[in-house]
Amino acid sequence: MSMSVAEANHKKKEESLRLAIAVSLLRSKIQNRQSSSSSTSRCDVLSETDALRWKQKAKERKKEIIRLQENLKDAESSFHRDLFPANASCKCYFFDDLGAFSGRRIGEASEARFNDVLRRRFLRLEPKYEEEAEHLRISIDFLLKLSEADSNASNFSNWSHQAVDFILASLKNLISMGRNLESVEESISSMITQLITRMCTPFRLNEVKQLETSVGFYVQHLIRKLASEPYIGQRAIFATSQRISSLAENLLFMDPFDESFSFSEMDECMFILIQLTEFLICDYLLPWAENEAFETVMFEEWISSIVHARKAVAALEERNGLYLLYMDRVTGELAKRVGQITSFREVEPAILDKLLAYPE
């Protein structure tokens, strides 16, 4: 009987132990699951935090890049203004009066708008003749390069006004030095000849949609700007009138039925040459006469050349009477201005008589 009670007690102890073990295992499993879930939650939270932090860093880096790009642009702009200052002749107004008569003296604004930085960098404060002559040649070569047929249109419109200013400044310095002007005249005459040839070339620059005008009129405008200096202007009129005479003689002996010959191109060339002559006379003859360096001998030469050009054009009256009308207008404007200036009375009377023989 006693053995049965002992066995029963033993069995109860074993069941209690098993139950305790089972409870312990169950609690362990629950704790493990809670720990795993908590760890996963913490990882998710950390992942989201890291992502936000990196996004913020990316935004800050992008802002920094943008700021550096803006600083770089400002630095480049400052360098450009330092080398080519904004108060030099600017493309914003350089071509504004393209193909139209000017109500002011072209060149005065350009002359006054050079600043000290431009003079230091390009002209120098105490130039020697050789250095200044080299500046002139480089500037002329640069301008001629810009006006070539394959030149980029944006470069032409952006930089041609700078080249004009450089040429005018260097030429004035060289003239003031007053020595070895033969090489200067050679450079200027060559430049005028090449520009006139380019002006009459039936071709358009690249990106013509940006220019929207025949390149000849842009080159014509360059010559007008350069002609603010009488040393260039008088030689430009002489060369232009010579080209008018030559063109008129070629047209006179040209077969009108020759299909290989483009009369429309010749007409455009003749018109732009006569128009340039009229522009230069109307824009500059009076201010030229006030210049102490005005060359009376050169003045007499180009007046005689214009009179000869008028005669050459008159021979074409039956073929195209407009040429003669245009040239009569030019000689009329010239005679009107010559009569207004007392200093021109010193000019050879025979030359003035020929000019004044044409109606004003």
Side-chain angles (χ1 to χ4, degrees), residues 44 57 104-105 112 163 187 229 231 258 313 316 324 353:
D44 291 342
K57 286 186 177 180
R104 61 177 177 82
R105 297 182 187 177
S187 297
E229 170 58 50
Y231 191 91
D258 185 357
V313 168
L316 297 172
L324 184 58
D353 290 342

Side-chain angles (χ1 to χ4, degrees), residues 155-261:
N155 288 342
F156 177 82
S157 58
N158 289 343
W159 296 104
S160 56
H161 62 292
Q162 300 288 356
V164 168
D165 283 340
F166 292 154
I167 291 170
L168 293 177
S170 292
L171 178 60
K172 288 179 181 179
N173 287 336
L174 288 169
I175 291 176
S176 66
M177 295 177 190
R179 64 187 183 91
N180 195 20
L181 291 179
E182 292 81 7
S183 62
V184 174
E185 181 166 11
E186 182 180 351
S187 297
I188 295 299
S189 297
S190 175
M191 175 191 69
I192 293 171
T193 300
Q194 292 185 64
L195 286 176
I196 290 176
T197 300
R198 184 70 196 94
M199 182 179 69
C200 292
T201 301
F203 192 86
R204 291 176 180 267
L205 285 174
N206 296 332
E207 303 178 25
V208 70
K209 292 182 180 179
Q210 295 183 16
L211 292 176
E212 297 180 353
T213 303
S214 171
V215 66
F217 288 100
Y218 282 87
V219 178
Q220 181 200 69
H221 197 72
L222 288 181
I223 299 175
R224 288 180 66 187
K225 293 288 188 179
L226 289 164
S228 62
E229 170 58 50
Y231 191 91
I232 297 178
Q234 291 206 91
R235 285 160 178 78
I237 292 181
F238 179 78
T240 302
S241 57
Q242 291 280 305
R243 186 64 65 91
I244 291 173
S245 298
S246 176
L247 183 59
E249 292 172 1
N250 290 337
L251 284 169
L252 183 63
F253 296 104
M254 190 66 62
D255 182 2
F257 301 101
D258 185 357
E259 296 181 356
S260 63
F261 184 76

